Amino acid sequence: MPSRWTPERIHQRRWFTLIAICIAVTITSIDNTIMNVGLPSIVRGVGASQAQLQWLIDSYTIVFACLLLTMGAIGDKWGRHHTMMIGLVVFGGFSAVASQADSADSLIICRGLMGIGGALILPATLAILSNTFEGKERSKAIGIWAAVAGIGVAAGPLFGGFLLDHFWWGSIFLINVPICIVAVVMGWFLIPPSKSAEVGHRLDPMGAILSIVALVGLLYGIIEIPEKGWSSPEVLFAVGSGIVFLALFTWWEMRSDHPMLDLNFFRNSRFSAASMTITINYFVMFGSTFLIVQYFQFILGYSPLKAGVMTAPVAVGLMVMSPQSHKLVARWGTTRVVIVGLVVCAGVMVCYGIESIISSDIGGIVVRAIFGAGLALAATPATESIMGALPRDRAGVGSAVNDTTRQIGGALGVAVIGSLFAWRYHASLSDLSGLPADAADAAQNSIGKAIQVAETLPSDQAALLLDNAKQAYVSGMRVGVWTCAVILIGAALLTAKFLPSTPGTPDDDEKLVMLRSKRFRLMTAFSDSQHAASGVTFGHRNSRGNHGKARNDRNDEGQPWPT
């Protein structure tokens, strides 16, 4: 460790470290959602087809999700600080190239390469955070980290709408460059080195390859279902290949003496249940946002900027509730807080399907703010559960699992909810036989195509087409968001059964408060500055802690770490 990064210095600068980490994580969380409001402008700018628009979103998500586990393991071995800095350079560089692209295909390639940068950045951020903070401060820091990540997702359409109202389509990519530069400079001075204590820990290239192939196959098949259907040979082959390689990955990891992902972690009900919660949370958020942002622009006629502004209450709810969630967990326990968050989100999804509420400015703002609060109540304690259920020196892999569940959940949400929407949209269209064949085909293709074609038709035919297409869109959206509500209720039931709860603490029970504080301290490997003389160093777990007692030999449930 460089001499300038002493334990005392790390402890003194920990909140500045958190600021630098939050700036870095904003890049990855904001990117995909900022694309949603930019797709119509990209169509006009580079003539992208419908399939190319889909891949502009999915090329980033697939590469990002497939590399998260691998990059988390690399960060554990060679240093999370270094992988994060390299990722920022890659992300910013290809964002600059993407802003000047002259074709949809070159833009898709840049998006995929940006996914490599994102996969280098995100696992490192939470792993560094988990090694910088300890005890209750770590819970608070994770809450802030989760709030920033969620705010980036919710604020993407807002920033995108503002840029597109004032600049050309490439500005939604170029904006990444100064943010990356600021993050690199702050990271260089404010983020300490961090790596796994297992200096000789070997990488698992075979596990990495198998996981990438499995995720590519599964995600590609799921993404193509809305367009090609379950019976498509291409979809069946992709999904089948993904399942086969997923089985091979499981078999290899169980036999390997140096697995990339120790599957024994999933024997811990806290880890597996929390991962399920995160996956469903992002499934719902991405799937519902995919429909709502289009609803604002295509059905209500909002500009990109207004559509972005109308999503901002979600960010407000996340920002307010995420840093406070650890206090609720301390009082009521993890399980109860997560269940409340899931049920609140389910209620909001029901409201999303009631047009009189979601089309109202006041009603829509209120339910979206409540949605953000519900997301924070479910996701923040679940993230803490994932990180608290793992050994400290495997924080990079734990962070990568957490991030992978988010991305996979988001990809599944867009694909599955989008597929259900498309099915209902097509089924709800009225008889269009009175329209020209190309106009009817456009209406069947998408609401966006229907609106474009309607501009070229006589007024009576245009009114018929628009009325049918908009009613079909609302019907399809209602099926999609109400399906999200059912899934969330199911997740709440599973959480009640399988997610162990950190017990709540009565305000007047000082003894329990002290015991709980001690348990939080045992979760962490890095002692604060007053214990520096004991030999504990950042990112390296010492087997002896306070007063010579063994520490970090048990997880938050009081059980030995899986071996």
Side-chain angles (χ1 to χ4, degrees):
M1 177 190 296
S3 59
R4 71 186 181 99
W5 286 114
T6 62
E8 292 87 351
R9 187 179 182 88
I10 293 169
H11 182 75
Q12 291 169 358
R13 293 195 170 190
R14 65 194 185 281
W15 296 109
F16 293 103
T17 299
L18 178 61
I19 293 172
I21 287 174
C22 287
I23 292 175
V25 80
T26 299
I27 276 290
T28 61
S29 61
I30 202 174
D31 183 75
N32 242 4
T33 56
I34 205 172
M35 284 291 298
N36 288 327
V37 295
L39 293 180
S41 298
I42 291 174
V43 171
R44 293 188 292 268
V46 297
S49 66
Q50 188 68 24
Q52 288 172 327
L53 289 179
Q54 181 180 359
W55 280 109
L56 282 172
I57 298 288
D58 297 334
S59 59
Y60 176 85
T61 302
I62 288 176
V63 173
F64 190 30
C66 288
L67 291 181
L68 277 172
L69 284 173
T70 302
M71 296 310 181
I74 290 175
D76 278 346
K77 182 175 178 64
W78 287 324
R80 299 145 188 162
H81 172 269
H82 295 138
T83 57
M84 192 192 82
M85 300 287 278
I86 293 170
L88 288 167
V89 172
V90 170
F91 197 99
F94 285 109
S95 293
V97 175
S99 70
Q100 305 300 319
D102 58 1
S103 70
D105 289 337
S106 61
L107 194 53
I108 290 170
I109 293 172
C110 287
R111 288 277 296 161
L113 294 171
M114 288 166 62
I116 297 175
L120 284 164
I121 297 168
L122 195 55
T125 59
L126 188 53
I128 293 170
L129 183 153
S130 295
N131 280 270
T132 302
F133 293 87
E134 66 173 53
K136 292 184 177 180
E137 278 193 349
R138 191 181 75 159
S139 299
K140 183 177 181 180
I142 287 178
I144 295 172
W145 176 91
V148 171
I151 288 169
V153 171
L158 177 63
F159 288 124
F162 174 81
L163 292 170
L164 292 170
D165 271 7
H166 294 84
F167 306 100
W168 91 115
W169 65 265
S171 62
I172 63 176
F173 297 101
L174 196 60
I175 190 62
N176 293 332
V177 177
I179 299 176
C180 285
I181 292 174
V182 171
V184 167
V185 173
M186 292 187 67
W188 180 266
F189 291 103
L190 298 175
I191 297 179
S194 168
K195 66 170 73 172
S196 172
E198 298 179 37
V199 178
H201 181 67
R202 294 152 57 194
L203 293 177
D204 180 18
M206 180 57 70
I209 292 172
L210 291 173
S211 68
I212 289 172
V213 175
L215 285 174
V216 166
L218 288 171
L219 290 178
Y220 178 85
I222 292 171
I223 287 167
E224 291 296 322
I225 287 172
E227 180 179 348
K228 299 179 179 178
W230 272 107
S231 60
S232 166
E234 186 175 344
V235 168
L236 293 175
F237 176 78
V239 173
S241 298
I243 293 173
V244 169
F245 277 97
L246 183 62
L248 289 173
F249 170 76
T250 303
W251 174 81
W252 174 264
E253 295 298 282
M254 293 296 292
R255 291 174 58 89
S256 175
D257 59 355
H258 55 282
M260 178 186 71
L261 173 62
D262 190 344
L263 297 180
N264 287 307
F265 292 155
F266 287 94
R267 295 179 179 177
N268 185 314
S269 60
R270 184 184 186 195
F271 181 89
S272 55
S275 298
M276 177 272 297
T277 299
I278 291 288
T279 301
I280 291 177
N281 227 29
Y282 275 72
F283 176 100
V284 170
M285 182 168 68
F286 274 66
S288 62
T289 300
F290 175 75
L291 297 179
I292 289 296
V293 171
Q294 294 184 71
Y295 172 80
F296 288 153
Q297 296 186 64
F298 290 138
I299 307 303
L300 300 183
Y302 292 169
S303 68
L305 177 58
K306 185 174 181 180
V309 169
M310 293 304 292
T311 66
V314 178
V316 174
L318 278 163
M319 181 174 61
V320 171
M321 189 57 66
S322 287
Q324 304 301 319
S325 61
H326 71 283
K327 298 178 182 179
L328 298 176
V329 169
R331 181 172 180 82
W332 302 108
T334 300
T335 305
R336 291 179 180 176
V337 173
V338 172
I339 289 174
V340 169
L342 293 171
V343 172
V344 166
C345 290
V348 170
M349 289 299 103
V350 173
C351 293
Y352 271 20
I354 302 174
E355 194 173 9
S356 60
I357 295 177
I358 200 63
S359 63
S360 163
D361 286 348
I362 296 177
I365 288 172
V366 170
V367 297
R368 283 189 286 279
I370 295 173
F371 183 44
L375 289 172
L377 289 173
T380 306
T383 299
E384 170 68 16
S385 293
I386 289 174
M387 300 307 296
L390 293 179
R392 185 78 174 273
D393 62 348
R394 300 310 304 278
V397 172
S399 173
V401 171
N402 173 63
D403 300 329
T404 300
T405 58
R406 293 169 185 260
Q407 295 302 313
I408 292 176
L412 286 170
V414 172
V416 174
I417 299 304
S419 180
L420 287 171
F421 161 80
W423 162 76
R424 184 59 184 171
Y425 174 80
H426 295 151
S428 299
L429 283 174
S430 302
D431 183 15
L432 302 177
S433 57
L435 299 176
D438 57 345
D441 291 341
Q444 290 285 343
N445 184 283
S446 70
I447 182 68
K449 287 287 186 69
I451 292 174
Q452 287 181 340
V453 171
E455 297 175 354
T456 66
L457 297 175
S459 59
D460 57 338
Q461 292 184 339
L464 174 63
L465 175 58
L466 289 175
D467 184 62
N468 284 341
K470 289 182 177 182
Q471 289 186 26
Y473 188 95
V474 172
S475 177
M477 184 182 73
R478 184 176 295 117
V479 170
V481 294
W482 285 357
T483 299
C484 288
V486 173
I487 292 172
L488 286 164
I489 293 299
L493 295 175
L494 291 174
T495 297
K497 182 173 179 61
F498 294 110
L499 180 64
S501 181
T502 302
T505 303
D507 292 337
D508 57 350
D509 195 333
E510 295 181 2
K511 183 177 179 180
L512 283 179
V513 170
M514 294 187 66
L515 287 173
R516 180 158 175 73
S517 178
K518 180 179 179 181
R519 190 171 69 132
F520 268 118
R521 289 197 298 271
L522 290 175
M523 259 173 26
T524 61
F526 173 58
S527 178
D528 59 21
S529 57
Q530 64 180 326
H531 301 127
S534 67
V536 180
T537 57
F538 182 79
H540 292 73
R541 190 175 62 187
N542 194 326
S543 62
R544 313 286 303 175
N546 299 340
H547 311 297
K549 295 181 181 179
R551 65 185 296 174
N552 289 312
D553 58 337
R554 293 178 179 271
N555 63 18
D556 287 353
E557 302 307 320
Q559 301 298 322
W561 298 114
T563 58

